[in-house]
Amino acid sequence: MSAAQMILAENSDDINQRRDNLANNYMQVAGFLNKLAAPQQMMALNSGTCDTVPKEHWGDYAAEQEEQMFADIPPEANQDKVQKARTKVNKVLKVFKTLKAGDRFVELIDLNFEIGATQVMAGWALAMCKGHNEIHFAFAEAGFAWVMRADYALETEKLGHPQLAGKVKDYIEVQAYNNLLMNLGGL
């Protein structure tokens, strides 16, 4: 069995349940993003990987993956929020070394809705399972970054900034898990 198949076998029920629980908010935010994406230059964030790593190399591998996960985040993003997300990813990767199997989600939501400011909504779905002397690991990223323009600000005001910001996490989580399942051959 491949690493992808093993990770999928251990985690697919949990991942599918998470996706189902968040489906309503996912659809609402997807509609909003479709309105923005037509005229807007949005940078899609969608990296990912699936690997088998010897347990003794996990620390170095995890550090490399953390760097890869944050490589596409625009430098204009709020660095405090970026650092909080990096810290969460780092903790998840450390915990994964101790688990038999598991999946987690980490988000980076930097939406201030200010005209001219970079907006970031990103998330990473991470999953793993252990073999005899190795760790099978996969992650998938989902998200977008864009510069807020006046016409988009009007669209976001119609939806209500606090409500939209709350639903964005659900959208990103579903999208990241969808990307993870696609990478693992589960969709």
Side-chain angles (χ1 to χ4, degrees):
M1 225 197 297
S2 73
Q5 292 168 323
M6 287 187 269
I7 293 168
L8 199 55
E10 290 288 337
N11 297 288
S12 65
D13 289 343
D14 184 50
I15 290 170
N16 285 322
Q17 183 63 48
R18 288 174 190 248
R19 290 173 52 233
D20 291 346
N21 291 343
L22 304 172
N24 189 41
N25 284 346
Y26 174 84
M27 295 307 294
Q28 289 177 346
V29 174
F32 159 74
L33 289 174
N34 285 336
K35 289 179 185 176
L36 289 189
Q40 170 67 8
Q41 193 69 330
M42 296 179 84
M43 180 178 79
L45 306 170
N46 58 7
S47 65
T49 193
C50 180
D51 294 313
T52 297
V53 182
K55 287 180 186 177
E56 65 270 13
H57 298 299
W58 179 251
D60 291 336
Y61 175 81
E64 290 171 13
Q65 294 311 304
E66 180 182 328
E67 286 302 316
Q68 182 182 342
M69 289 177 196
F70 288 87
D72 293 332
I73 299 300
E76 301 84 7
N78 179 307
Q79 291 305 301
D80 289 338
K81 291 182 180 185
V82 171
Q83 189 54 49
K84 285 180 184 175
R86 283 186 85 112
T87 299
K88 287 180 186 177
V89 165
N90 185 278
K91 288 178 182 177
V92 167
L93 293 171
K94 285 180 181 177
V95 166
F96 274 5
K97 188 172 182 179
T98 66
L99 298 178
K100 180 181 177 221
D103 67 90
R104 301 288 188 276
F105 173 76
V106 176
E107 79 277 357
L108 168 58
I109 308 296
D110 182 14
L111 299 175
N112 60 21
F113 303 103
E114 294 175 9
I115 296 170
T118 298
Q119 311 295 299
V120 177
M121 45 189 271
W124 299 268
L126 303 91
M128 59 75 65
C129 67
K130 283 190 180 166
H132 179 63
N133 280 320
E134 68 267 344
I135 299 173
H136 308 290
F137 171 77
F139 87 85
E141 178 182 51
F144 299 96
W146 71 94
V147 174
M148 183 61 83
R149 295 185 353 194
D151 49 338
Y152 306 135
L154 292 174
E155 277 298 320
T156 61
E157 284 175 24
K158 288 179 195 173
L159 293 168
H161 293 171
Q163 294 85 355
L164 177 62
K167 293 176 182 182
V168 163
K169 180 199 173 287
D170 293 351
Y171 171 86
I172 291 297
E173 185 169 353
V174 170
Q175 192 61 48
Y177 276 120
N178 284 346
N179 291 351
L180 181 63
L181 288 173
M182 282 194 299
N183 292 350
L184 297 174
L187 271 185

